[in-house]
Amino acid sequence: MNSSKNPLQILIAGGGIGGLSAGIACADKGHLVRLYERSARVSEAGAGIQLGPNATRVLADWGVLPAIKAIAVQPTHLRIRDTQSGRQLGQLALGERAEQRYGAPYLTVHRADLHRTLYAHLKQKTNVFLHEGREVAALSDDLNEGVTVGFTDDQMVQGDVMIGADGLWSRTRALTFDDGSPAATGHVAYRALIPTAALPEPLQAPVVTVWLGPHVHVVQYPVRGGDAMNVVLIASGEPLADATGWSNAVDSKRVMRAVGVACSTLGELLEAVERTEQGWMAWQLFDRPPVTDASALCCGRIALMGDAAHPMRPYLAQGAGMAIEDAQVLAQVLTSDPAMVGHALRRYARLRHERVARVQRKALENGEIFHATGLKRWGRDIAMQLLGSRLLDQPWLYGERLVGHAAQ
C-alpha cells in the first residue's frame, strides 16, 4: 500500500504523552502520522511528572525542551526523609550538577502542562492528522498488505504501521495479544496540588522530597514554574470503589490513616492539602510483570509502547520517561520502506525490552525499599546515610544514549 519513495502511513492509538511523543518523533522523520484518541478531546489530567535527563535529552532532540522548561521546575536536590522523625536520610544534588553530568536537565512538571506543550508542538506539523473520539475496535495485520484498524463508529483506516500507545488498559494490546488485564498491586495513590504560597516557607524549597515510612511513602516537588507543589502519597490500602478511575475524591481521614505517625513538617504538608479546594484525589495502582522478551513489544506491523507495553510502578519516576524513549527509538528504526516494517519493529523490540524490564524490576525493588519495616527499614536508613548520593544516583538510567541519538 506504499512505495519506498513515499513516507510511511503511521497509525497511533492514544493521545496521551506516549502517543503524542510517538507522533512528534515519527513526524520529524517525515512519516505521515494519524493519531486516534478515544476521548472526545485530546487532553490530560492527573499529577506531576519527574523527567530525568534520559527523557529531557530526547525532548531536546525534538526541539520541545525550551517550551517545557518554561513551565517546569529544575529542582536543586533530591532529599530522602523519614515520615515519623523528619530526619534526612540521604541527598542527591540535581540542578546544574545533574545537567553537567548527563548533558540534560532533571525537571518536574505537571502532567497536563507537559501534555499541552507536546500537543501544541505536534499540531504545528503538516504531516500529522489528529482524530478525536475514535476508539479502536478491531485490528488486522498483514506483513505484505499493511495494517487495518476498525473503530467503534464502524469506520476503518489502513496504514503501514500501528502503534499502540493507548495506556494501561490498551485495546491495541488486547486485540494483538489477548493476554488478560493488568493486575491490582494492592497499593493506592493519593495526589494533591497545593499553591506554593500557601505552604510554610521550609516546604517551599525547589527540591524533590521523598518521605519514607512503614508501608507508605510521600513524594513532593514543585511544578508550574514553582507556583504549585505536587504531592503524591502511595500506601497499601483498601480498594477504591472505582478501581480503574484516575480521579476519585477521598476523605483526608483515609489519607491520614495511611500515613500513620507523621513528623510536624510532613503533618503541615498534609494539612495544607485539606485547605485546598480539591483536596485529595486517588487511584488504584495496577501493573503487569516485567517484560520477559522482545516479543511482548511487537507483532507483525503492530508495536506497543509506554504503559500499553510495559506498565511500571511509580517508584522510579520513569513511566513517562520510558514512553518518550520508546517513541524516539521507534522513529529511529522505521525507514521509508514498508517492506521493512516488520524487521524495524522487531529491532525496536530488541533494543527496548531489556531496558524497560530493568526499569520495571528496579521500580518494584524500590517499592519494597520505600515501604520497608523492621530490620529492613533500619538497614535501608543506615545504608542511605553511609552511601548517600551513590545510592540515589542512577547513571545506568539517566546516562543512556538511545539508538540514533543526535550526540552519537
Side-chain angles (χ1 to χ4, degrees):
M1 63 172 303
N2 197 341
S3 76
S4 59
K5 297 180 180 179
N6 295 321
L8 291 181
Q9 312 285 315
I10 296 182
L11 313 178
I12 301 173
I17 289 167
L20 296 180
S21 296
I24 290 169
C26 291
D28 282 352
K29 291 297 181 182
H31 302 301
L32 189 148
V33 173
R34 297 189 182 276
L35 188 150
Y36 299 88
E37 165 56 38
R38 64 183 176 186
S39 300
R41 181 172 176 270
V42 175
S43 63
E44 186 66 272
I49 289 178
Q50 298 180 62
L51 295 173
N54 58 305
T56 58
R57 189 180 302 113
V58 175
L59 296 171
D61 282 353
W62 298 343
V64 73
L65 185 58
I68 292 170
K69 290 181 75 172
I71 45 91
V73 175
Q74 190 169 0
T76 61
H77 292 84
L78 165 65
R79 291 176 180 162
I80 312 298
R81 299 181 66 176
D82 184 87
T83 58
Q84 298 180 347
S85 69
R87 68 191 174 101
Q88 183 167 297
L89 305 176
Q91 176 173 280
L92 174 68
L94 298 175
E96 291 183 2
R97 184 262 182 196
E99 190 161 5
Q100 290 169 359
R101 178 167 169 78
Y102 295 113
Y106 192 110
L107 301 178
T108 56
V109 61
H110 194 281
R111 179 181 292 270
D113 295 343
L114 173 62
H115 187 275
R116 268 193 301 271
T117 304
L118 293 174
Y119 181 69
H121 191 75
L122 184 65
K123 283 198 71 174
Q124 295 174 0
K125 300 183 181 297
T126 58
N127 55 336
V128 173
F129 300 88
L130 300 173
H131 306 271
E132 297 166 323
R134 304 290 294 278
E135 183 175 1
V136 174
L139 276 173
S140 62
D141 171 37
D142 187 305
L143 278 176
N144 295 317
E145 298 298 325
V147 62
T148 302
V149 182
F151 299 94
T152 52
D153 59 4
D154 296 328
Q155 298 296 309
M156 299 182 71
V157 65
Q158 288 186 305
D160 297 303
V161 184
M162 174 65 174
I163 299 175
D166 42 353
L168 179 66
W169 305 97
S170 171
R171 183 65 175 155
T172 306
R173 179 175 185 140
L175 291 168
T176 304
F177 294 112
D178 190 25
D179 58 352
S181 299
T185 65
H187 289 180
V188 175
Y190 306 89
R191 62 179 169 88
L193 199 66
I194 310 170
T196 304
L199 290 168
E201 189 171 341
L203 286 169
Q204 295 183 19
V207 301
V208 178
T209 303
V210 182
W211 302 82
L212 304 183
H215 307 295
V216 67
H217 81 283
V218 182
V219 183
Q220 66 173 96
Y221 51 82
V223 295
R224 298 200 155 151
D227 290 340
M229 189 68 66
N230 180 72
V231 181
V232 176
L233 183 154
I234 301 179
S236 301
E238 68 263 27
L240 297 168
D242 179 3
T244 62
W246 175 253
S247 298
N248 298 280
V250 295
D251 189 277
S252 62
K253 292 180 181 178
R254 172 175 174 144
V255 179
M256 298 307 291
R257 286 198 305 271
V259 175
V261 177
C263 68
S264 59
T265 305
L266 178 57
E268 288 180 318
L269 177 69
L270 302 178
E271 288 168 9
V273 175
E274 297 184 39
R275 296 191 292 271
T276 63
E277 182 178 349
Q278 188 177 60
W280 291 102
M281 308 298 286
W283 74 101
Q284 198 156 298
L285 298 185
F286 290 77
D287 70 358
R288 294 180 183 273
V291 172
T292 56
D293 57 62
S295 64
L297 301 186
C298 74
C299 180
R301 291 176 175 266
I302 302 168
L304 299 179
M305 62 170 291
D307 284 350
H310 44 74
M312 54 190 65
R313 300 193 190 185
Y315 307 132
L316 195 57
Q318 279 292 320
M322 288 300 104
I324 289 168
E325 284 190 11
D326 287 346
Q328 179 79 330
V329 175
L330 263 171
Q332 295 290 355
V333 300
L334 286 168
T335 69
S336 59
D337 186 353
M340 295 299 291
V341 165
H343 172 78
L345 295 188
R346 289 192 297 274
R347 185 177 180 221
Y348 155 75
R350 289 195 301 272
L351 288 168
R352 295 299 294 159
H353 79 96
E354 290 183 354
R355 178 161 169 84
V356 298
R358 184 178 183 183
V359 174
Q360 287 176 301
R361 290 192 299 269
K362 182 61 177 175
L364 287 168
E365 178 186 318
N366 278 0
E368 296 289 329
I369 294 170
F370 286 5
H371 294 183
T373 60
L375 287 176
K376 189 172 183 179
R377 180 187 181 202
W378 178 83
R380 175 202 68 196
D381 294 353
I382 293 296
M384 200 165 292
Q385 289 173 340
L386 290 174
L387 299 175
S389 61
R390 281 180 287 173
L391 277 182
L392 297 174
D393 203 359
Q394 305 287 338
W396 67 271
L397 177 60
Y398 301 142
E400 177 79 357
R401 296 283 172 169
L402 304 178
V403 59
H405 188 270
Q408 290 186 307

